[in-house]
Structures are given as structure tokens and as C-alpha cells.
Amino acid sequence: MSGHISGAGFRVKTIKSMDHSLPERRYVMGLWRCIACGYVYDPAKGDDEGGIPPGTEFEDLPDDWVCPVCGVGKDMFEEA
């Protein structure tokens, strides 16, 4: 996996395949902010305490995932 470029509330993640005959893939990973406490979920970092690995998009978080700071649900987040 290559580096990340960030700015304007999103990150661009570059993925290199182990199969070097395939091209790199880049996709935008959006940041999500908790409207209750201001915590920002960064998909590139995941949530270690919640068992969420880096690279997990917000939409792919389990339905019962909660903000690691204040404990509110996913419905209390907005795109940052």
C-alpha cells in the first residue's frame, strides 16, 4: 500500500496490488464527523479500539458501531 494524500475533508488512498501486472487503484475515502462530540472517523485509520481495521469505509462499519469518544451511533455522523 502506498501513501495517502489528504485535504478538503477527504483522503485519496493508493492501493498497489501484490500482482505487479495490475495497475495501482486510487479511491477517495471520505471523513465523517460526529455531530455530538466532533470526533472524526478516518477510514484510512479505522478504529483500533472498536476493532475496525484501516481502510474500512464509513458505510461498511457494522450497524452497532459507536463513536469511540461519546458512544453515539452512526446516525449521528455527517460527512466532514
Side-chain angles (χ1 to χ4, degrees):
M1 188 176 344
S2 183
H4 298 91
I5 303 168
S6 63
F10 63 89
R11 297 169 77 84
V12 176
K13 185 174 182 181
T14 303
I15 304 293
K16 289 187 178 184
S17 172
M18 296 302 286
D19 180 349
H20 297 290
S21 66
L22 297 174
E24 290 182 352
R25 290 182 16 188
R26 292 188 179 140
Y27 60 95
V28 175
M29 303 179 77
L31 302 176
W32 289 78
R33 179 176 294 113
C34 176
I35 59 175
C37 73
Y39 167 80
V40 175
Y41 175 75
D42 182 347
K45 295 179 182 177
D47 173 17
D48 286 340
E49 292 179 23
I52 307 298
T56 304
E57 295 287 348
F58 186 81
E59 296 82 7
D60 296 330
L61 292 171
D63 291 336
D64 62 350
W65 180 83
V66 296
C67 176
V69 174
C70 69
V72 299
K74 288 173 55 176
D75 61 327
M76 295 293 289
F77 279 74
E78 64 185 8
E79 288 189 80

